[in-house]
Amino acid sequence: MKRTIFFSAMLIMLVIVSGCRQTAESQLQDVSSKVLVSGKKPKNIIFMIGDGMGISQVYAGMTANKGHLNLEKCAYTGLQKTFSASDYITDSAASGTAMASGTKTKNGILGKDTTGKDVKTILEYARDHGLATGLVATSAITHATPASFIAHVKSRNQYEDIARFFIRHGPDVFIGGGRDNFASRKDGENLLDSLKAQGYRVIFSMDSIEQVKHGKLAGLTAPVHNPPMTEGRGNMLPEATATALNILSNDPDGFFIMIEGSQIDWGGHANDQKYVITEMLDFDNAVKQALDFAEKDGNTLVVITADHETGGMALNGGNLKTGKVEAAFTTKGHTAVMVPVFAYGPGAENFTGIYDNTDIFRKFMALYGFSATD
Ligand code: MG
Ligand code: ZN
């Protein structure tokens, strides 16, 4: 009898232990495949990613801003799960690929599934349906988050290979850093000439970028990344957002754009609350540009979310009158928690609830009326 109890206990222990093992397969099990959408369909989608922007980062920005952010205008909110095919805690390449293509992949991979097969992104579907497309980031435009919408490479570190994806079928408008990946390459090629040959206006300064009203635009505002807000980036992101939206709105077929507040994540990695907060507020100013556009336009859906949380940031104190924030961090890396989704405009009601990051792609596809076989 005693022995039976012992063996039963051992068996239960074994089941528990094997159930806790995080294999590539086990991370994939609860990804839903069917997404239904309802309500009015948007003509344009503005997708905004605050890299590393968890609820604490949002509320830290809100507190520093004395209680409010522009993104509060979004009446519909949800939560998304961010785990990747390889890890409980994702990186920006796998989560970017999940949101862009609806496919879970391993950390580090861009635009490919776990077997190495290319997966088509929402930006590519939009482009192939004749919509105008855009990418805006404060990091290099070749960095993981923007690259996950256009590139198909085994490693997010293949910056020079990623730059090639902007040449032949690139977005109509892209603004960010990363000039060196086009102009100062190891292979000696000058991809800026190739961009010009494809009809792009290639511009390096925000002052000149802002003057552009139509056509194809490659705005490469820094050799690598744009500086942090704390080192004088100024209004690059809100201005790039307004410029890109103005250009893309010329297309009667509509548009898709992804706009990233890239450096909220870097503030989290540095466990630097001032870095996090200044980047959060800058991202929220870009959100204002998007929401103002959407309000005026009436046919534009704005979805704002993160790819994961960074820093395990907690708010241990603060003051809504003075804007003081007392933050603490649990890690220099990313964390596994679900991240918020905020939505505004036609179709926004479809973003409530708790769902997988891959469902964002499926919701966009359904709202545009695209089929995965197109
Ligand atoms: Mg990023
Ligand atoms: Zn990160």
Side-chain angles (χ1 to χ4, degrees):
M1 187 63 194
K2 254 197 180 144
R3 181 170 282 195
T4 317
I5 291 167
F6 176 76
F7 280 120
S8 308
M10 283 294 284
L11 197 73
I12 289 163
M13 287 268 287
L14 245 156
V15 168
I16 289 169
V17 169
S18 60
C20 289
R21 269 182 51 215
Q22 299 295 351
T23 61
E25 261 77 32
S26 76
Q27 301 290 344
L28 285 164
Q29 64 198 359
D30 57 340
V31 177
S32 58
S33 57
K34 268 261 178 311
V35 159
L36 297 169
V37 292
S38 60
K40 219 178 144 221
K41 305 275 194 292
K43 178 178 153 193
N44 312 310
I45 295 178
I46 303 173
F47 186 36
M48 305 189 73
I49 300 176
D51 197 315
M53 185 189 73
I55 298 267
S56 290
Q57 285 78 358
V58 173
Y59 200 64
M62 217 175 260
T63 304
N65 208 33
K66 317 274 173 75
H68 288 285
L69 286 177
N70 292 300
L71 55 73
E72 285 176 67
K73 197 170 171 179
C74 299
Y76 296 95
T77 59
L79 292 166
Q80 53 135 324
K81 304 173 194 179
T82 68
F83 65 92
S84 74
S86 58
D87 291 84
Y88 183 59
I89 298 175
T90 191
D91 80 327
S92 293
S95 54
T97 299
M99 294 188 282
S101 72
T103 304
K104 291 268 190 199
T105 194
K106 295 176 190 165
N107 285 9
I109 295 179
L110 287 172
K112 287 176 177 288
D113 68 13
T114 55
T115 70
K117 196 171 146 265
D118 287 6
V119 287
K120 192 169 176 178
T121 73
I122 187 69
L123 187 145
E124 292 168 325
Y125 276 104
R127 177 195 68 205
D128 291 352
H129 280 83
L131 278 70
T133 57
L135 289 173
V136 172
T138 59
S139 65
I141 203 69
T142 47
H143 205 244
T145 311
S148 64
F149 287 80
I150 192 78
H152 305 277
V153 289
K154 276 191 204 136
S155 165
R156 57 182 287 172
N157 300 321
Q158 293 170 250
Y159 295 116
E160 297 192 353
D161 298 325
I162 291 166
R164 288 193 181 282
F165 287 91
F166 285 82
I167 304 302
R168 211 169 289 168
H169 297 292
D172 299 289
V173 175
F174 58 94
I175 307 172
R179 193 163 66 233
D180 284 355
N181 298 147
F182 294 83
S184 308
R185 297 165 56 87
K186 285 194 194 83
D187 61 12
E189 255 187 86
N190 189 339
L191 297 188
L192 298 183
D193 291 338
S194 317
L195 283 170
K196 285 175 196 158
Q198 298 285 328
Y200 279 93
R201 248 176 289 186
V202 179
I203 307 180
F204 303 144
S205 92
M206 267 319 292
D207 286 346
S208 311
I209 287 167
E210 276 187 279
Q211 308 304 316
V212 181
K213 302 272 182 269
H214 52 79
K216 289 164 82 171
L217 168 65
L220 293 164
T221 53
V224 187
H225 304 301
N226 290 284
M229 288 305 288
T230 50
E231 290 169 26
R233 189 168 74 243
N235 289 320
M236 179 259 160
L237 185 61
E239 283 167 5
T241 299
T243 302
L245 294 178
N246 192 22
I247 298 170
L248 297 178
S249 64
N250 292 322
D251 194 316
D253 299 315
F255 65 80
F256 173 84
I257 186 170
M258 193 291 294
I259 298 159
E260 184 197 23
S262 318
Q263 301 193 27
I264 301 168
D265 175 63
W266 301 350
H269 283 295
N271 287 186
D272 179 340
Q273 74 168 62
K274 192 177 174 202
Y275 195 173
V276 169
I277 289 168
T278 50
E279 294 297 331
M280 183 65 225
L281 294 177
D282 176 62
F283 181 61
D284 189 59
N285 284 335
V287 165
K288 181 178 172 17
Q289 294 297 326
L291 292 174
D292 286 353
F293 176 92
E295 186 177 24
K296 229 191 264 172
D297 179 71
N299 288 308
T300 301
L301 167 68
V302 183
V303 175
I304 306 150
T305 188
D307 49 355
H308 53 73
E309 195 273 346
T310 307
M313 190 179 182
L315 303 182
N316 291 335
N319 188 315
L320 289 163
K321 282 206 184 78
T322 63
K324 187 182 165 216
V325 175
E326 288 169 42
F329 298 87
T330 64
T331 174
K332 298 262 181 192
H334 300 169
T335 68
V337 286
M338 293 191 288
V339 291
V341 184
F342 308 91
Y344 176 91
E349 64 273 29
N350 296 292
F351 291 84
T352 60
I354 298 173
Y355 43 88
D356 193 79
N357 56 3
T358 52
D359 283 355
I360 300 214
F361 164 83
R362 297 194 181 89
K363 290 174 197 284
F364 286 166
M365 288 287 283
L367 286 165
Y368 272 135
F370 299 162
S371 143
T373 53
D374 291 348

Coordinates of all heavy atoms in Angstrom, one line a residue, residues 51-52 90-92 143 156 262 264-266 268-269 307-311 332-334, ligand 2:
D51 N 7.9 49.7 -28.0 CA 8.8 48.5 -27.7 C 9.0 48.5 -26.2 O 9.5 49.5 -25.6 CB 10.1 48.6 -28.4 CG 10.8 47.3 -28.5 OD1 10.9 46.6 -27.5 OD2 11.3 46.9 -29.6
G52 N 8.7 47.4 -25.5 CA 8.9 47.2 -24.1 C 7.9 48.0 -23.2 O 8.1 48.2 -22.0
T90 N 9.6 36.5 -24.9 CA 10.0 36.8 -26.3 C 11.0 37.9 -26.4 O 11.3 38.6 -25.5 CB 8.7 37.2 -27.0 OG1 9.0 37.2 -28.4 CG2 8.3 38.6 -26.7
D91 N 11.6 38.0 -27.6 CA 12.4 39.1 -28.0 C 11.6 39.9 -29.0 O 10.5 39.5 -29.4 CB 13.8 38.7 -28.5 CG 13.7 38.3 -30.0 OD1 12.7 37.6 -30.4 OD2 14.7 38.5 -30.7
S92 N 12.1 41.0 -29.5 CA 11.3 41.9 -30.4 C 11.2 41.3 -31.8 O 10.3 41.6 -32.5 CB 12.0 43.2 -30.5 OG 11.9 43.9 -29.3
H143 N 16.2 47.7 -37.6 CA 16.2 47.1 -36.3 C 15.0 46.1 -36.3 O 14.1 46.3 -37.0 CB 16.2 48.1 -35.2 CG 16.7 47.6 -33.9 ND1 16.0 47.4 -32.7 CD2 18.0 47.2 -33.6 CE1 16.7 47.0 -31.8 NE2 18.0 46.8 -32.2
R156 N 18.1 38.6 -36.6 CA 17.8 40.0 -36.5 C 19.1 40.8 -36.7 O 19.0 42.0 -36.9 CB 17.1 40.3 -35.2 CG 17.9 39.9 -34.0 CD 17.1 40.1 -32.7 NE 17.1 41.6 -32.4 CZ 16.4 42.1 -31.4 NH1 15.7 41.3 -30.6 NH2 16.5 43.4 -31.1
S262 N 10.7 53.1 -30.3 CA 11.7 52.0 -30.2 C 12.4 51.9 -28.8 O 12.8 50.9 -28.4 CB 12.8 52.1 -31.3 OG 12.2 52.4 -32.5
I264 N 11.6 52.9 -25.6 CA 11.0 52.7 -24.3 C 11.7 51.4 -23.7 O 12.1 51.3 -22.6 CB 9.5 52.5 -24.4 CG1 8.8 53.7 -25.0 CG2 8.9 52.1 -23.0 CD1 7.3 53.5 -25.4
D265 N 11.9 50.5 -24.6 CA 12.6 49.2 -24.3 C 14.0 49.5 -23.8 O 14.5 48.8 -22.9 CB 12.7 48.4 -25.6 CG 13.5 47.1 -25.5 OD1 13.1 46.3 -24.7 OD2 14.5 47.0 -26.2
W266 N 14.7 50.4 -24.4 CA 16.1 50.6 -24.0 C 16.2 51.3 -22.7 O 17.2 51.0 -21.9 CB 16.9 51.4 -25.1 CG 16.8 50.7 -26.5 CD1 16.4 49.4 -26.7 CD2 17.2 51.3 -27.7 NE1 16.5 49.2 -28.0 CE2 17.0 50.3 -28.7 CE3 17.7 52.5 -28.2 CZ2 17.3 50.4 -30.1 CZ3 18.0 52.7 -29.5 CH2 17.8 51.7 -30.4
G268 N 14.1 50.6 -20.4 CA 13.9 49.4 -19.5 C 15.1 48.6 -19.3 O 15.4 48.2 -18.2
H269 N 15.8 48.3 -20.4 CA 17.1 47.5 -20.3 C 18.1 48.2 -19.4 O 18.8 47.6 -18.7 CB 17.7 47.3 -21.7 CG 17.0 46.3 -22.5 ND1 17.0 44.9 -22.2 CD2 16.3 46.3 -23.7 CE1 16.4 44.2 -23.1 NE2 15.9 45.1 -24.0
D307 N 5.4 45.0 -27.9 CA 5.8 43.7 -28.3 C 6.1 42.8 -27.1 O 6.1 41.5 -27.2 CB 7.1 43.7 -29.2 CG 8.2 44.6 -28.7 OD1 8.0 45.2 -27.6 OD2 9.2 44.6 -29.3
H308 N 6.4 43.4 -25.9 CA 6.7 42.7 -24.7 C 7.0 43.8 -23.6 O 7.1 45.0 -24.0 CB 7.9 41.8 -24.8 CG 9.1 42.5 -25.3 ND1 9.8 43.4 -24.6 CD2 9.7 42.5 -26.5 CE1 10.8 43.9 -25.3 NE2 10.7 43.4 -26.5
E309 N 7.1 43.4 -22.4 CA 7.5 44.4 -21.3 C 9.0 44.3 -21.1 O 9.6 43.2 -21.3 CB 6.7 44.1 -20.0 CG 6.8 45.2 -19.0 CD 8.0 45.2 -18.1 OE1 8.7 44.2 -18.0 OE2 8.2 46.2 -17.4
T310 N 9.6 45.4 -20.7 CA 11.1 45.3 -20.5 C 11.4 45.9 -19.1 O 10.9 47.0 -18.8 CB 11.8 46.2 -21.5 OG1 11.4 45.7 -22.8 CG2 13.3 46.0 -21.4
G311 N 12.2 45.2 -18.4 CA 12.7 45.7 -17.1 C 11.9 45.2 -15.8 O 12.4 45.3 -14.7
K332 N 17.2 43.3 -16.1 CA 17.8 44.1 -17.2 C 17.2 43.6 -18.5 O 17.5 44.2 -19.6 CB 19.3 44.0 -17.2 CG 19.9 44.6 -15.9 CD 20.4 46.0 -16.1 CE 21.1 46.5 -14.8 NZ 21.3 47.9 -14.9
G333 N 16.4 42.6 -18.5 CA 15.9 42.0 -19.7 C 14.4 42.2 -19.9 O 13.8 43.1 -19.3
H334 N 13.8 41.4 -20.8 CA 12.4 41.4 -21.0 C 11.6 40.6 -19.9 O 12.3 39.8 -19.3 CB 12.0 40.9 -22.4 CG 12.7 41.6 -23.5 ND1 12.7 41.2 -24.8 CD2 13.3 42.8 -23.5 CE1 13.3 42.1 -25.6 NE2 13.7 43.0 -24.8
Ligands
ZN2 ZN 14.6 44.8 -25.6

